[in-house]
Every structure is written in structure tokens, then in C-alpha cells.
Amino acid sequence: MKALTYQGVGEVKVIEVPKPAIKRPDEVLVRITLNAICGSDLHAYHGRVPMSAGELLGHEFVGVVEEAGSAVNRFKKGDRVVTSFFIACGHCALCRKGNFNECVNLETFGFGAVLGSLGGGQSEYVVVPLADSSMELIPDEVSDEQAVFVGDILSTGLFAAERAEIRYGDTVAIIGAGPVGLMAAMCAQLFGPARVFIVDVVDSRLELAQELGAIPINSSKLNPIEAILERTGGVGADSSIEAVGATATVDIAMRCVRGGGTVSVVGVPAEFTADFPYYLFWEKALTFRSGRCNVQRYMRPLLDLIAAGRLHPEKIISHRMKLADAEEAYKLFDARKATKIVLTP
Ligand SMILES: [Zn+2]
Ligand SMILES: [Zn+2]
């Protein structure tokens, strides 16, 4: 089969690799019908994840079950499915508490041996282990383009918005209008805020955010903290969502909220440590939340919301390309010339 592989820093290539096969009874083989390039793929692309040449990339994908192992209860051949970007066992102590994102058996697709030796979603086939606790059935009325983000960025948007504790009438500030920030802007609306500000430097992303109901702030032209304070009578937003993962954007998220507010950080950190303004958090009685999305908890309600016409995640797709052109797609996405790219085999 054809698959996109990591070849070295800044270098990816579509090559022929062996088609994977199920080995354990809890696994399914999925024929991929659509996949997407995620911001965190760029961490691998830039060598921030220690991958070896030839390892497969991609963790956002949907497809059709081609074969299900004997212990798989929820899925059968022919089912359309979306998979979380990580597998969780469903039976460890943390899964049983509902924290699938902290599963002791967690492994991630598309980042090579370092994150679990699973296959990659930017390919024609992938084996999904622990399928019963890692996938969801896609309703007939939901298209592949709508479902493909449910296993990663859309779940992350909802996780971010829920953990920001948005209440009706609130003012929310989202830092970053990339794919995750845009999903957070959509999901924030589910909680009834009065206003959602969104901060970025790329005009095309801010325009799209505005179409989704957010109020754009271009931080290359305005100081975003001052702009948010000014528009909230000097007090700040009720909560902020950070969707980039850079120290500078986390800092904006921490400094643009009011006393008693909540900071919800979901951007994958580009640094391991940074200064934390502990006194500010004490003085303003702030809450700091962060983490990898608990995808398995959000997939079902999100599919129901899409099926009901209340969420339109496909609106952020800017480029529809072929898997064979993935090399070019990575270049476009890395240069921020594409908001979100989906690839068909
Ligand atoms: Zn991702
Ligand atoms: Zn577990």
C-alpha cells in the first residue's frame, strides 16, 4: 500500500510499504477513505519528535472496517468509523475513571516507535488495536469530511471549551486561529458565550474565525492583551483557550483573563518548561488547565451534534488533495498557506 513516511527533518515521502494485518483479536483493519494533516504532524516534520526514517505519519483519519478481530464487539466489516488519534484500553484504572487520555496503555498513531509503534493514518490502511475503546461508528448522515476531525482537533476544541468553564453571557478569548483554535471557536458557542475573541497573525484564518462567529484580533497589529482588556471594561475575558503551544501564546492566555477566570491550554507544548507566573495566579485566583484531549469522551456527542446540523467542522477545510501529493501538502501547511488539508488515497 501507499503511505506517507518521515524521512528526516523537513522531509516526508509517499512510498510503497507492506499492507498491515491484524495480529490480536482486539484489532480491526481499517481501509482509510480520508485523512488530514494536523498541526502536531509539524512537530514530527520539524524533528521535535524523535522518529526514524521510514516511520509512518498521520493520526486523523476515517475509513471502513475491512476486517475485525474475534474479540471486537462494537464493529464489523463494512462499518464506517472514526478513530481517536490515540488508542486507550478501556479497562485500566484511569480509563475506568473516564480519563482515557491518561490510559496506562495509551499509544498514538503516526509518530513512530517513540509514541507506540502504531501505523499511520496518512496511508491506505491502518490497524487499530483496542478498537472497541478507540473508535466510533459514523452515522449515515455524517460525511467523511465532517467526521475526520472528530478523532482529534474537533474533540480537542470541545475539551478546551468545556475545561474553560464557559457560562452563558461570558467573554472568551481564544489564542490561535489555527485548526484547533477554529474548532474551539465553534465548540465555545455550544456553551452560550456573549462574545468570543480570537487572536492570530494570519488574516485568512481570522477571516474564517469571523465567519464562525468569533471577533478577530490581529496580534501583529494590536497588543492582544490590551485589546481584550480594553473591550471588557479593563477586567479581561472570563476564560481563555490557548490553541498553539508556544510559550508566548500561553502567556497571552494567562494575562488576558479576569480575576477568578480560567485558562484552558490545549496547544501541544513546543517547550518542556517555561516561567509560570505563580503570583499572578494567586493574586487573581485563576485556574490553569491543560492536557491532551480526552478524545474518547467526546467522539459520540460530537458525531451527534454534527448529525443534528449543530456543528460544521468541514468549514475549515481549505485544501482537498491526494495522498500522493502529501509532500507538497506538508510544505503548504507548514508555510501556513493552507488552513486545513484533507487527503484522499
Ligand atoms: Zn493532531
Ligand atoms: Zn486504559
Side-chain angles (χ1 to χ4, degrees), residues 7-20:
Q7 293 294 338
V9 176
E11 204 188 326
V12 293
K13 202 170 182 184
V14 177
I15 59 169
E16 199 67 33
V17 300
K19 182 180 166 183

Side-chain angles (χ1 to χ4, degrees), residues 87-96 99-100 102-106 130:
I87 57 164
C89 71
H91 54 73
C92 74
L94 292 170
C95 280
R96 287 177 58 77
N99 297 107
F100 301 97
E102 298 302 321
C103 171
V104 300
N105 298 304
L106 188 147
L130 302 169

Side-chain angles (χ1 to χ4, degrees), residues 113-344:
V114 67
L115 292 184
S117 285
L118 299 180
Q122 285 152 7
S123 64
E124 292 181 290
Y125 292 90
V126 68
V127 165
V128 179
L130 302 169
D132 278 340
S133 50
S134 306
M135 306 198 309
E136 283 298 330
L137 202 59
I138 302 173
D140 288 344
E141 60 269 46
V142 173
S143 69
D144 280 1
E145 287 195 356
Q146 292 177 309
V148 71
F149 306 134
V150 166
D152 186 358
I153 58 170
L154 183 58
S155 287
T156 300
L158 182 53
F159 174 76
E162 185 174 78
R163 285 160 61 88
E165 291 196 350
I166 303 164
R167 298 190 49 147
Y168 50 83
D170 272 1
T171 295
V172 182
I174 298 174
I175 318 304
V180 172
L182 292 168
M183 292 297 173
M186 274 186 234
C187 292
Q189 299 294 348
L190 297 170
F191 300 89
R195 291 179 299 176
V196 177
F197 293 111
I198 192 159
V199 176
D200 205 289
V201 294
V202 182
D203 278 326
S204 58
R205 292 181 171 191
L206 288 171
E207 281 161 24
L208 181 53
Q210 195 165 15
E211 283 170 32
L212 299 173
I215 304 161
I217 295 174
N218 188 324
S219 55
S220 67
K221 294 173 187 151
L222 286 174
N223 176 317
I225 300 168
E226 283 172 13
I228 291 163
L229 287 175
E230 200 175 288
R231 295 168 198 201
T232 51
V235 294
D238 296 290
S239 60
S240 65
I241 292 170
E242 195 279 343
V244 180
T247 307
T249 46
V250 174
D251 203 62
I252 297 167
M254 295 193 292
R255 294 177 194 280
C256 71
V257 290
R258 65 165 171 85
T262 300
V263 180
S264 175
V265 175
V266 289
V268 179
E271 309 283 344
F272 285 102
T273 58
D275 290 333
F276 185 82
Y278 170 71
Y279 183 80
L280 174 76
F281 272 70
W282 181 86
E283 175 64 32
K284 292 179 78 176
L286 302 178
T287 300
F288 185 91
R289 291 212 171 90
S290 67
R292 176 196 307 114
C293 176
N294 194 4
V295 176
Q296 274 76 339
R297 281 191 51 182
Y298 297 97
M299 288 198 290
R300 191 72 253 157
L302 283 170
L303 287 163
D304 290 341
L305 283 160
I306 296 167
R310 293 202 56 202
L311 284 174
H312 300 278
E314 74 282 6
K315 281 187 178 169
I316 76 156
I317 298 173
S318 60
H319 291 66
R320 293 169 174 84
M321 298 172 73
K322 288 281 178 196
L323 175 63
D325 301 321
E327 216 174 310
E328 190 199 335
Y330 265 69
K331 286 190 185 127
L332 280 173
F333 189 55
D334 187 42
R336 295 191 190 173
K337 288 179 181 157
T339 304
K340 190 71 183 182
I341 303 175
V342 291
L343 304 169
T344 42

